[in-house]
Amino acid sequence: MIKILLIGCLLFFTACQKKEENKKQESKKSVFVIKPTIKDDLEKRIFNAVASSSNETKLSFKVQGNLNYFKIQIGDEVKENSLIAKLDSKPYELKVSQVNYALSESLASLQNAKNSYERVKKLYINQNASVSDIDNARSSFEASKAKVENIKKELEYAKLQLSYTELYSPINGVIGAKFVNENENVTVGTPIVLVSDKFVDEVRIHIPEMFINKIKKEDFVKVFFNSINTVVNAKISEISKVASSNEKTYLVIVKLEEKNSLIKVGMSADVYFNFEEKGKKLVYLIPSNSVLNDKDGYFVYVIEKNGNDYFTKRKNIKVGNLQKEGYEVISGLNENDLVLKAGMSEVFEGMAVVIGNEKAIGN
């Protein structure tokens, strides 16, 4: 009987204790807290870029003429050594024909000069021709031989010019751009098409001068193609040493480390650079209504845990600029601090509180 009474008393005492604790918890002020966010100056480290291929070529003719064959379209795939365009070749074929005829005549003249030289040489040996006769015959033969060699070179050049009337792709790729239309007269060096490798392997960015010394070759970056919602790992491959005259920016080329057929030449992209300096202190942002000040300066209330209870604690801070997101906190906080979000006028140092959004902040 006594044992039962003791157990009953113990249960009653425990229930009373729990009830008292619950009352105590209910009497505590409920507060909401946040964690400081690291200030991330994205506008200072994201730059717009354009996708390109390192293996791309503007093709042009080495001779002038009328473009009488040009069936290729933008986006067409082409194979190495496939025909892209042709000029009217008749003028060049005529030139080859004329030089061929001149070569035939010069070869005939050479044969006559050779025969004449052989006859005079025999007469000279038999003392039936003078020294001047054999000299003249030799000179005529040598001149004919030289003329034949010159015409052969002229024929070689004429055939080369004829071959230049056809334009072939130097690589397997795609047509990125067309600069002329069929039946136009084009001059030497006029761009006809842009041929690019099928896979884009780089992007080009113009970096302002204030950031150019914060990057170096082989630095890793992230490239985001918004149109296809794709992020690609990349590495800086080239950095210009000379700024553009108009914008004072430097060309930076970033090599993509992954191939993706969805990425096309000319696509826009955002390149994410990491300009964080070693040893540089982090700057945090907290809401402006979390910050108080008095004669000792700016401060916030943070919540600290002691056993199963939470208590308020004052932390002095050094603030920077006031932005729309709140105050910049240069020192005094770390990213794990639980900062009182509102109601600071109703709390005091060492006050026991209950966190109303404990699950939301991950504690």
Side-chain angles (χ1 to χ4, degrees):
M1 185 69 178
I2 296 173
K3 189 175 182 181
I4 293 172
L5 286 173
L6 287 172
I7 293 172
C9 291
L10 182 62
L11 290 172
F12 178 75
F13 178 76
T14 303
C16 290
Q17 191 176 27
K18 285 186 177 179
K19 191 174 181 181
E20 188 66 28
E21 287 179 0
N22 288 337
K23 281 184 179 180
K24 196 180 289 184
Q25 286 292 104
E26 288 173 4
S27 67
K28 292 179 183 178
K29 181 175 177 58
S30 179
V31 296
F32 289 85
V33 297
I34 59 164
K35 288 185 176 182
T37 57
I38 299 173
K39 183 184 175 187
D40 194 3
D41 294 326
L42 292 179
E43 73 279 1
K44 293 183 179 179
R45 66 183 189 94
I46 298 181
F47 297 96
N48 295 326
V50 176
S52 63
S53 171
S54 60
N55 191 16
E56 63 179 21
T57 310
K58 279 184 181 178
L59 301 183
S60 61
F61 286 100
K62 296 180 180 180
V63 293
Q64 63 183 19
N66 181 265
L67 188 61
N68 66 355
Y69 176 84
F70 191 36
K71 307 299 184 187
I72 208 84
Q73 299 296 326
I74 293 175
D76 285 354
E77 291 191 11
V78 292
K79 294 188 178 296
E80 186 177 357
N81 297 322
S82 61
L83 182 65
I84 289 178
K86 285 175 66 175
L87 297 177
D88 181 8
S89 61
K90 289 185 178 64
Y92 298 96
E93 289 171 355
L94 179 60
K95 180 65 175 177
V96 171
S97 179
Q98 289 173 338
V99 178
N100 257 324
Y101 180 75
L103 180 61
S104 297
E105 285 190 328
S106 65
L107 285 171
S109 296
L110 175 61
Q111 188 60 48
N112 288 334
K114 182 180 179 182
N115 293 339
S116 177
Y117 175 57
E118 292 296 335
R119 284 195 302 272
V120 172
K121 190 160 62 171
K122 288 179 182 178
L123 290 172
Y124 179 75
I125 292 171
N126 294 326
Q127 297 184 348
N128 290 321
S130 64
V131 173
S132 61
D133 290 335
I134 194 168
D135 285 345
N136 289 335
R138 186 189 297 111
S139 295
S140 179
F141 173 57
E142 294 295 336
S144 295
K145 195 158 62 170
K147 185 177 181 180
V148 167
E149 291 303 315
N150 285 337
I151 294 177
K152 281 183 179 179
K153 289 180 181 178
E154 190 178 344
L155 178 61
E156 185 180 332
Y157 179 71
K159 287 180 177 179
L160 186 62
Q161 295 290 92
L162 177 60
S163 71
Y164 289 156
T165 61
E166 296 182 342
L167 196 62
Y168 295 90
S169 174
I171 59 171
N172 293 322
V174 293
I175 302 300
K178 289 174 63 176
F179 304 107
V180 295
N181 296 310
E182 196 172 60
N183 296 318
E184 284 189 27
N185 288 317
V186 297
T187 57
V188 176
T190 300
I192 307 299
V193 292
L194 176 70
V195 180
S196 301
D197 194 288
K198 283 198 280 189
F199 289 102
V200 170
D201 63 348
E202 67 182 30
V203 295
R204 295 174 175 237
I205 322 116
H206 290 276
I207 301 293
E209 59 184 8
M210 66 183 295
F211 296 111
I212 197 64
N213 289 323
K214 295 183 178 182
I215 62 174
K216 61 183 183 299
K217 287 177 70 174
E218 303 299 316
D219 279 353
F220 287 99
V221 297
K222 296 282 187 183
V223 181
F224 176 61
F225 293 91
N226 184 61
S227 60
I228 58 174
N229 195 30
T230 299
V231 177
V232 179
N233 294 316
K235 189 186 293 185
I236 297 174
S237 63
E238 296 180 50
I239 302 174
S240 173
K241 301 294 185 184
V242 181
S244 62
S245 56
N246 297 330
E247 300 176 357
K248 295 299 180 186
T249 58
Y250 293 80
L251 175 64
V252 175
I253 298 177
V254 170
K255 286 287 183 185
L256 305 181
E257 296 197 323
E258 305 157 33
K259 288 185 176 181
N260 189 327
S261 60
L262 297 178
I263 302 173
K264 310 297 183 187
V265 171
M267 269 189 179
S268 61
D270 290 328
V271 181
Y272 289 70
F273 289 87
N274 183 8
F275 291 142
E276 291 181 6
E277 298 174 9
K278 290 181 179 178
K280 183 179 179 180
K281 290 184 178 179
L282 292 175
V283 175
Y284 298 98
L285 285 173
I286 58 173
S288 57
N289 56 1
S290 293
V291 179
L292 300 170
N293 69 341
D294 57 17
K295 61 183 180 64
D296 294 322
Y298 289 92
F299 67 95
V300 295
Y301 282 112
V302 297
I303 306 302
E304 291 189 344
K305 192 172 186 179
N306 186 358
N308 293 321
D309 296 319
Y310 292 100
F311 298 92
T312 59
K313 180 182 179 181
R314 171 177 171 144
K315 261 199 170 186
N316 294 324
I317 59 173
K318 183 178 180 182
V319 300
N321 296 324
L322 176 61
Q323 302 186 350
K324 62 180 181 180
E325 298 91 347
Y327 273 105
E328 293 179 342
V329 179
I330 299 171
S331 64
L333 287 181
N334 64 64
E335 58 188 289
N336 294 316
D337 280 332
L338 301 178
V339 179
L340 200 63
K341 189 176 181 182
M344 281 70 65
S345 61
E346 300 175 19
V347 299
F348 51 84
E349 176 82 4
M351 179 178 177
V353 294
V354 175
I355 297 177
N357 59 334
E358 186 173 353
K359 290 184 179 179
I361 53 131
N363 285 294

